[in-house]
Amino acid sequence: MPDPVTPDPVAPEPVSDDEFAARLDRLGPFDRPLRLAIAVSGGPDSMALSLLAARWVRQRGGQLLALTVDHGLRPDSTAEAAAVGAALARHDISHRILTWTDAPARASQEQARRARYDLLGQACREAGIRDLAVAHQREDQAETVLMRLAKGSGIDGLAGMAVWRPAPWGRLLRPLLDLPKARLVASCAGFGVIPVEDPSNRRSRYARARLRDARGVLAAEGLTDDRLFALARRAGLARDALQRIAAELGRHAVRLDPAGYAAIDLPALRQAEPEIARRLLGSVTACIGGGAEARFDALERLAEAVQDGALLGRTLGRCRLRTAGDRLLVFRERRALPEMVGPDPGASLLWDGRFRIETPADIVPEDRIAAWGDAAAGQGRPDDLPFDAAAVLPALWRNGHVLRRPSLADATGNGLFLRFEPLWPLLPNGFPVV
């Protein structure tokens, strides 16, 4: 079983409700009614986050859902997940256990991380929750910067983890990123909770654990957590400055259509500095791809292809790109589109990280919301709506037939009413939707 985490007898003060509220309020606006999910492992960081978030949510009349992933990689993992649920239940926090059913016999930490976020994202989509908070804290940020430094990362990598980022279900939030672990341990003690620590965090076969063991030697040479955190802050300032330049270009060169695709002015993109063009392409593809972020090297190759005019058949970040005159059109690919079976009547759902759907009152459990697909070729598609965009819009299906076509303008008609709500990796204001 995991080892108990004992608070330091001289630990700093617990995190106050006002401090926590200030951090989450800065990450708003949130959906109304307020609904928030928390990823909780049972360790001090995630338990403190759950307990603090529960009070914050209740004070605002919202709902909180705690999610624990059982990877099944250790014999005690199922019992540990149940113990987390029992601890949260004593504080009236709703809890779900998500099981990784197809885990390989010897999964790597990276495989486990991907599976964890896939399961968390699926649970958020099923619950109609847009915001998922995770408990990364100051020491985690320092470790992340150290690992990226070892891999030769550029400015974006050295900036570490962001306090929020877009995701296919909505947003991933990190409200504790500037807080030291000791204060979170103290917060657990203040709630009367004894957290546990996953012993795999200390296994030397994992790179993060090996770097953690070396931190004492590195700190003696001046590479302390504080300096790594300061490096992340300074790199973040440089990253943000570059992002602002790219976003300013985007406001003039990018047009988002309410049907969920983008048109980029090719001459303006080709005249931009390569770094700015890469960032702009990364933002647009993440937006149209529903939050999928492309790799740095793939974006570099795409930016080079833009300059060379070699864009035929290009795909990136769940997007398909093609030129039309002096415009670069970016459409969502038809792969990996979600399907919602039996959604609740009168619900407001986020689909594919792009569209807010208002479900009709007469929906039945057998109905499903899925891509319009090939049916868009012959079912009343507007003349000004490209088929590439129409095919990846959600429609309401019943018994294998389209019951309601997507409707982008009329919330009172017979269509499935949609609102394009793009996610913005560059700046919260994004690009104009016209």
Side-chain angles (χ1 to χ4, degrees):
M1 293 290 290
D3 304 322
V5 175
T6 304
D8 186 329
V10 292
E13 289 294 315
V15 180
S16 72
D17 287 347
D18 287 344
E19 282 182 279
F20 184 77
R23 283 166 173 79
L24 265 181
D25 289 343
R26 283 197 296 268
L27 295 174
F30 292 86
D31 285 344
R32 291 290 181 265
L34 173 61
R35 302 188 71 197
L36 180 67
I38 301 288
V40 53
S41 65
D45 309 339
S46 61
M47 288 299 290
L49 175 61
S50 299
L51 297 164
L52 290 164
R55 287 206 296 220
W56 181 82
V57 167
R58 286 171 188 149
Q59 289 168 359
R60 289 154 180 78
Q63 294 180 322
L64 180 72
L65 175 63
L67 301 168
T68 298
V69 175
D70 176 10
H71 292 103
L73 301 179
R74 291 182 291 102
D76 295 330
S77 64
T78 300
E80 291 160 10
V84 171
L88 293 172
R90 289 192 285 273
H91 294 268
D92 297 319
I93 298 174
S94 298
H95 179 248
R96 276 189 63 194
I97 296 175
L98 313 174
T99 304
W100 190 16
T101 56
D102 55 350
R106 287 180 61 83
S108 67
Q109 278 199 317
E110 178 59 22
Q111 286 176 307
R113 187 191 71 82
R114 290 180 181 174
R116 180 165 63 252
Y117 281 110
D118 285 346
L119 289 167
L120 291 167
Q122 180 181 343
C124 287
R125 282 193 294 266
E126 290 173 353
I129 296 176
R130 174 177 170 168
D131 292 307
L132 170 68
V134 294
H136 294 129
Q137 32 79 359
R138 188 181 181 93
E139 284 90 333
D140 294 327
Q141 181 75 305
E143 285 179 5
T144 297
V145 173
L146 185 59
M147 290 184 70
R148 292 179 179 178
L149 186 64
K151 293 179 179 179
S153 293
I155 287 175
D156 286 14
L158 296 180
M161 296 178 284
V163 293
W164 78 273
R165 67 171 177 83
W169 67 84
R171 300 188 303 163
L172 182 72
L173 311 177
R174 297 185 177 98
L176 308 180
L177 205 51
D178 65 334
L179 290 172
K181 187 183 190 78
R183 295 199 64 195
L184 304 178
V185 173
S187 295
C188 287
F191 281 101
V193 170
I194 300 176
V196 295
E197 193 72 80
D198 185 344
S200 65
N201 288 339
R202 299 190 299 272
R203 289 181 183 167
S204 61
R205 70 186 179 98
Y206 296 134
R208 189 176 286 270
R210 292 195 299 272
L211 285 172
R212 190 174 295 142
D213 289 342
R215 295 262 287 283
V217 175
L218 295 173
E221 298 299 325
L223 198 58
T224 62
D225 284 354
D226 285 346
R227 287 187 176 172
L228 288 166
F229 193 83
L231 173 60
R233 182 183 63 81
R234 291 164 183 158
L237 292 173
R239 176 199 59 197
D240 292 348
L242 292 169
Q243 287 178 336
R244 282 192 291 272
I245 297 170
E248 183 61 30
L249 171 64
R251 277 189 275 272
H252 297 94
V254 177
R255 183 181 70 85
L256 294 185
D257 191 279
Y261 69 96
I264 307 176
D265 182 277
L266 268 174
L269 188 62
R270 286 171 174 152
Q271 291 169 13
E273 292 290 334
E275 174 68 11
I276 302 305
R278 180 188 66 79
R279 288 175 181 274
L280 184 63
L281 288 167
S283 182
V284 173
T285 54
C287 167
I288 302 302
E293 296 184 47
R295 293 172 57 90
F296 182 92
D297 54 351
L299 284 167
E300 278 192 321
R301 290 193 296 271
L302 177 60
E304 291 170 0
V306 168
Q307 293 294 336
D308 298 338
L311 285 165
L312 184 63
R314 286 275 176 171
T315 60
L316 181 72
R318 296 199 305 224
C319 295
R320 192 165 63 83
L321 300 94
R322 64 177 172 87
T323 56
D326 62 355
R327 298 183 304 160
L328 173 62
L329 301 181
V330 184
F331 299 100
R332 173 68 163 89
E333 274 192 295
R334 292 179 66 173
R335 67 180 179 89
L337 289 164
E339 182 173 316
M340 298 176 175
V341 180
D344 294 332
S348 179
L349 306 174
L350 186 70
W351 190 82
D352 189 35
R354 296 185 301 151
F355 288 101
R356 178 68 56 182
I357 298 175
E358 309 299 331
T359 61
D362 59 353
I363 203 167
V364 300
E366 294 76 21
D367 290 345
R368 61 190 179 94
I369 296 175
W372 203 3
D374 290 337
Q379 288 194 350
R381 175 170 56 90
D383 292 338
D384 60 349
L385 178 60
F387 174 76
D388 288 335
V392 293
L393 292 176
L396 181 63
W397 293 75
R398 180 177 294 175
N399 299 325
H401 300 283
V402 175
L403 180 67
R404 290 177 182 263
R405 300 191 301 269
S407 172
L408 299 166
D410 187 2
T412 61
N414 294 322
L416 181 66
F417 181 56
L418 316 173
R419 289 193 307 274
F420 186 31
E421 294 187 0
L423 300 168
W424 299 114
L426 273 179
L427 288 178
N429 292 336
F431 312 129
V433 180
V434 295

